[in-house]
Amino acid sequence: MNWQVISHSLPIFAQAFKLTLWLSLVGILGSLIVGALSSLIQYFKVPILSQLFTAYVELARNTPLLIQLFFLYYAFPVIGLKMSATTCGIIGLIFLGGAYMAEGFTGGFSGVNQTQIDNGKALGMNNLQLARYVVFPQGFALSMPALAANVIFLIKETSIFSVIAIPELTNTALDLIGMYYRSNEYLFVLVVAYAIVLIPVILLLNLLERRVRYGTFGD
Amino acid sequence: MTEEILRVENLNKFYGDRHILHDINFTLHQGEVLTLLGPSGSGKSTLIRCLNGLEDFSSGAVYFKGEKIKPTDKNWQEIRQKIGMVFQSYDLFPNLTVMENILLAPTKVQKRAKDQVAQEAEGLLKDVGLEKYADSYPRELSGGQKQRIAIVRALIMHPEVMLLDEVTASLDPEMVRGILQIMTKLSKKHHMTMIIVTHEMGFAEQIADQVLFLEDGRILENTPGKAFFAQPKTERARDFLESMDF
Amino acid sequence: MEHSVINVLFVGNNFARIMQGLWTSVWISVDSLAAGLVLGTLLGILRTLPSKPLRFILRLYLEFFRIVPTIVLLYLVYYILPRSFNISWPASWMAILAFALWVAAEFSDIVRGAIESVPVTQKESGLALGLSKTQLFRYVLLPQAVQLELPATINLATRVIKTTSLLMMISIMDVIAIGQQIIEANNQKYPTAVFWIYGLIFILYFIIDYPLSLWSKKLAAKENR
């Protein structure tokens, strides 16, 4: 292991690190929005839309991100839709992540007690009010563990962006290895970089999970 | 005769092939208390849940103040603001404080002014002896306390009729009496129209203006006043009363 | 348009080659899963033992695989084995090694969770009958744990299958790599080839994974009842 090689590469990795963080953040936020929306639509069995979203969730969850990205990046231009690699990456990640988040939310929503929903209905709430005041807040707390796992999963999935040449962490490491033939050093930095991103995220999510659970159910 | 509040006509309910409720008919007038009695599994809870649309029924009709309720989701949602309900499982919303639980529906569903409702809520909390708990979370309350809050939460909607589904059944014995007193006060002092499903026979006799005795989804007896307790007409009802150790 | 689909997919041996590539992906998944599940069961059982240092080391092992993306694992094996250990395996073996170690880590956690969620009374009644520790595992805990862990295991299998899409990155002739070759060969004549080939591969993955996730969901729903 040559430390000088490592230290020279750090500025380049720092750039990639920022990009990975930024792509993850956008992807996760987008996925949460798409997932919550899709799950609520499925929960209240909105006609047509709920079938559409169910199909979307199954398609996205049961196919690899890599092929989704290839399709966006290489196949879409053939039908006249040309997007930058970064745009494709973000759309792909949200397409995939939205489905995973939808499953996470659905698990939580289905854990909300029927008696809670009866109580809300008995107080005259309509579906929107039930969603806003009963199903969502309690379901969110219940889905936290699944959502947290998805957040970690999605951050790791950004590594697949390397296949469409987005200069995030993995792509950068591979480029450097290709140029300087120093695999041990660059792979070491790469693993450490993922640890630096993910360990705080994991700890933070654990804390948040407990907070939200306590705030909602008191245990 | 006082105004008619609820009328049920030829109501039938099926779960698949199973006939759950058979041809239910009864009328409830303003200020009356109807107690719904019968062994467990007789369909009492299902019936009471049909009256505010939590369960749908297969045929027949429910009339609210003489008007037939069209059984659509939207309609039921409107009607439920006038029909309060309290359940056996004292489910307050766990993520909200006592006060937030009480204010939620009046402010969000009925769009009433928050400070006015809050003032009223304080009064009601005082009535049930829980004014100190406005800012507590449900997890900090006992079952009996939660059930009292659930009653307040229903009352603040200004319902014209209250449905009370075995509200004391999951409470510790020492909590039961307080809840029964609140219901008695509601009837005697505020002349609240109520339908009560209960296994507390002493309480039922004391509060009832009309008794429905249900078995296997059929009304076996529909008796005005308290005559049911002294002279049940059917053997089934006699057996039932005896088994309740009454 | 229609014409080009037929030409790209069904002329010559293109379709057969794609299926061959898919077969490569499938057997690598199966081998990795088989090896990973065996190792994972072992690690999972070890993680329920009281030894603290052992549990700590196994926990570290798990966390490493939780943190490092699978594509990076693949490259770790691909570069480090030959360069630092002078082991020159075929790329497919290296992929199986990387995937199996990853599956073992994930599965060890599933096994541990399942064993720990078998009710204590089951354990106590086993011991009360005079079963030894090994007998307790063999006859009481593992059979019940297997039932509990089945949905999560099937889910893990679907993830492994999806992850085989990365095989082309270490120059394995998987379904995507073959797809790319066909696209390149047809690009001049049929520019829409890319659409049909990637579309087909997308659907192929779905056809394999969807029944599995449906099965897992059904089992999970049954358990919750």
Side-chain angles (χ1 to χ4, degrees):
Chain A
M1 195 86 76
N2 184 330
W3 295 101
Q4 211 169 356
V5 171
I6 290 178
S7 72
H8 277 304
S9 70
L10 288 183
I12 305 172
F13 269 109
Q15 282 297 317
F17 188 87
K18 269 190 249 164
L19 188 61
T20 290
L21 279 186
W22 161 244
L23 292 170
S24 303
L25 189 71
V26 176
I28 288 162
L29 289 180
S31 301
L32 281 171
I33 294 167
V34 172
L37 198 74
S38 140
S39 178
L40 281 174
I41 285 172
Q42 288 172 296
Y43 186 86
F44 287 107
K45 304 196 172 67
V46 182
I48 306 167
L49 275 182
S50 77
Q51 280 92 339
L52 251 139
F53 273 94
T54 306
Y56 149 66
V57 168
E58 294 303 344
L59 264 183
R61 264 168 43 85
N62 289 302
T63 48
L65 178 62
L66 183 133
I67 195 78
Q68 294 169 5
L69 290 179
F70 273 11
F71 207 78
L72 283 171
Y73 190 60
Y74 295 115
F76 266 34
V78 176
I79 54 166
L81 243 171
K82 203 168 164 54
M83 291 173 288
S84 74
T86 312
T87 312
C88 287
I90 288 173
I91 292 176
L93 195 65
I94 293 175
F95 179 78
L96 177 83
Y100 274 85
M101 293 296 186
E103 284 289 292
F105 279 118
T106 300
F109 293 163
S110 67
V112 177
N113 270 331
Q114 185 58 39
T115 54
Q116 287 286 329
I117 295 165
D118 285 350
N119 271 280
K121 279 189 182 170
L123 289 170
M125 292 185 195
N126 61 27
N127 272 356
L128 223 59
Q129 289 161 337
L130 273 178
R132 164 92 176 70
Y133 301 113
V134 182
V135 178
F136 196 84
Q138 294 182 40
F140 182 70
L142 294 173
S143 41
M144 266 307 276
L147 300 184
N150 289 342
V151 165
I152 294 160
F153 166 72
L154 289 177
I155 293 174
K156 287 166 72 180
E157 285 290 280
T158 60
S159 63
I160 299 188
F161 290 174
S162 59
V163 301
I164 52 171
I166 297 175
E168 48 66 67
L169 283 169
T170 302
N171 183 267
T172 301
L174 294 178
D175 267 4
L176 287 171
I177 292 172
M179 274 190 283
Y180 304 109
Y181 205 66
R182 284 277 184 185
S183 47
N184 287 358
E185 285 80 359
Y186 296 133
L187 287 173
F188 175 75
V189 180
L190 182 61
V191 169
V192 171
Y194 278 114
I196 293 173
V197 179
L198 284 163
I199 291 174
V201 171
I202 291 171
L203 294 177
L204 204 72
L205 286 173
N206 272 341
L207 195 75
L208 196 69
E209 207 178 300
R210 256 175 292 156
R211 275 276 174 88
V212 169
R213 224 197 129 73
Y214 185 79
T216 308
F217 300 109
D219 56 11
Chain B
M1 201 85 184
T2 48
E3 194 193 355
E4 167 192 313
I5 298 279
L6 270 182
R7 179 154 51 92
V8 176
E9 251 181 31
N10 302 328
L11 187 137
N12 280 283
K13 180 173 174 64
F14 293 86
Y15 277 131
D17 283 345
R18 275 176 47 221
H19 203 161
I20 304 291
L21 294 172
H22 293 260
D23 255 335
I24 305 290
N25 286 286
F26 68 87
T27 310
L28 180 68
H29 293 97
Q30 171 96 52
E32 273 184 347
V33 174
L34 182 152
T35 58
L36 202 48
L37 308 179
S40 27
S42 59
K44 304 180 303 274
S45 281
T46 311
L47 174 57
I48 204 172
R49 287 164 63 90
C50 282
L51 302 180
N52 70 348
L54 287 182
E55 299 270 351
D56 46 13
F57 39 88
S58 313
S59 65
V62 180
Y63 294 77
F64 182 72
K65 294 175 127 180
E67 218 170 297
K68 185 171 169 176
I69 300 171
K70 266 192 246 124
T72 61
D73 277 0
K74 181 106 193 68
N75 244 320
W76 277 123
Q77 189 238 317
E78 293 283 321
I79 291 286
R80 284 187 198 120
Q81 296 174 35
K82 301 182 192 126
I83 305 180
M85 182 162 186
V86 183
F87 300 82
Q88 173 179 353
S89 56
Y90 29 84
D91 279 286
L92 301 180
F93 302 124
N95 51 323
L96 304 179
T97 63
V98 165
M99 189 49 99
E100 287 166 345
N101 259 284
I102 299 171
L103 297 187
L104 181 64
T107 56
K108 303 297 179 189
V109 177
Q110 297 179 321
K111 318 270 184 220
R112 281 151 61 189
K114 192 172 172 185
D115 35 339
Q116 260 176 335
V117 188
Q119 214 173 3
E120 191 185 336
E122 275 162 34
L124 285 169
L125 280 176
K126 201 172 274 175
D127 284 349
V128 299
L130 292 174
E131 66 272 24
K132 277 183 288 184
Y133 293 90
D135 296 321
S136 306
Y137 279 91
R139 55 179 173 268
E140 297 159 307
L141 305 180
S142 71
Q145 291 171 325
K146 280 190 246 189
Q147 196 57 295
R148 277 186 261 174
I149 303 294
I151 293 173
V152 168
R153 189 175 66 171
L155 285 177
I156 202 155
M157 300 288 285
H158 302 150
E160 304 199 27
V161 52
M162 287 276 279
L163 309 176
L164 299 137
D165 186 8
E166 304 211 33
V167 292
T168 57
S170 349
L171 295 179
D172 293 336
E174 68 269 24
M175 305 284 183
V176 170
R177 184 207 273 273
I179 300 290
L180 299 183
Q181 277 170 351
I182 289 172
M183 289 193 275
T184 308
K185 196 167 132 196
L186 266 179
S187 168
K188 300 286 179 274
K189 203 169 146 207
H190 302 279
H191 308 290
M192 177 61 77
T193 316
M194 296 191 271
I195 297 183
I196 301 176
V197 175
T198 184
H199 284 119
E200 302 283 337
M201 289 302 134
F203 164 72
E205 177 169 28
Q206 177 217 321
I207 201 168
D209 298 312
Q210 185 182 359
V211 177
L212 288 191
F213 178 69
L214 226 66
E215 193 178 71
D216 291 334
R218 288 189 176 81
I219 295 182
L220 293 194
E221 299 195 27
N222 181 350
T223 324
K226 303 175 199 304
F228 174 81
F229 298 95
Q231 293 125 355
K233 282 174 283 189
T234 59
E235 193 161 339
R236 296 296 306 128
R238 265 195 298 280
D239 289 350
F240 171 75
L241 285 173
E242 264 166 39
S243 74
M244 296 307 285
D245 214 9
F246 171 71
Chain C
M1 206 68 161
E2 243 171 75
H3 199 57
S4 74
V5 186
I6 294 167
N7 274 311
V8 173
L9 292 185
F10 300 111
V11 166
N13 59 356
N14 282 355
F15 192 73
R17 285 177 62 208
I18 286 180
M19 285 300 144
Q20 208 181 354
L22 192 65
W23 177 240
T24 305
S25 310
V26 169
W27 75 254
I28 289 181
S29 310
V30 171
D31 286 9
S32 320
L33 271 166
L37 294 186
V38 172
L39 182 60
T41 307
L42 201 72
L43 297 182
I45 293 173
L46 291 179
R47 283 188 62 198
T48 62
L49 299 181
S51 158
K52 273 208 172 133
L54 185 67
R55 271 168 35 190
F56 179 74
I57 290 167
L58 291 175
R59 182 73 198 268
L60 272 188
Y61 175 78
L62 168 70
E63 294 301 332
F64 176 80
F65 284 91
R66 280 230 172 113
I67 284 168
V68 180
T70 333
I71 193 169
V72 178
L73 288 177
L74 218 47
Y75 282 116
L76 283 176
V77 174
Y78 186 69
Y79 283 117
I80 292 176
L81 271 194
R83 291 188 189 177
S84 301
F85 296 93
N86 273 323
I87 298 174
S88 54
W89 280 357
S92 52
W93 290 23
M94 294 202 262
I96 292 172
L97 177 66
F99 287 176
L101 292 175
W102 162 57
V103 169
E106 297 263 358
F107 194 60
S108 76
D109 210 42
I110 296 174
V111 170
R112 181 198 55 83
I115 289 178
E116 281 173 1
S117 59
V118 174
V120 186
T121 50
Q122 288 289 320
K123 205 167 150 183
E124 285 170 350
S125 31
L127 290 174
L129 289 171
L131 297 183
S132 72
K133 268 266 162 76
T134 359
Q135 286 169 327
L136 187 71
F137 265 113
R138 167 74 186 77
Y139 298 109
V140 181
L141 297 185
L142 278 185
Q144 295 191 42
V146 166
Q147 275 232 307
L148 289 173
E149 72 202 13
L150 201 54
T153 311
I154 299 166
N155 253 333
L156 183 59
T158 67
R159 283 169 60 201
V160 172
I161 291 164
K162 280 181 280 182
T163 310
T164 58
S165 63
L166 306 177
L167 291 175
M168 54 161 284
M169 304 304 294
I170 57 169
S171 7
I172 293 174
M173 271 297 142
D174 76 326
V175 63
I176 299 175
I178 288 177
Q180 283 181 327
Q181 285 185 344
I182 297 174
I183 291 166
E184 269 159 42
N186 288 279
N187 216 1
Q188 291 286 315
K189 237 162 118 191
Y190 306 107
T192 53
V194 60
F195 199 83
W196 305 120
I197 294 290
Y198 285 149
L200 175 69
I201 296 173
F202 184 86
I203 291 167
L204 287 175
Y205 268 109
F206 182 75
I207 290 174
I208 298 178
D209 254 7
Y210 180 60
L212 287 174
S213 36
L214 214 59
W215 183 26
S216 142
K217 237 187 231 178
K218 279 227 176 89
L219 286 175
K222 216 187 279 174
E223 243 165 53
N224 286 335
R225 228 183 300 139

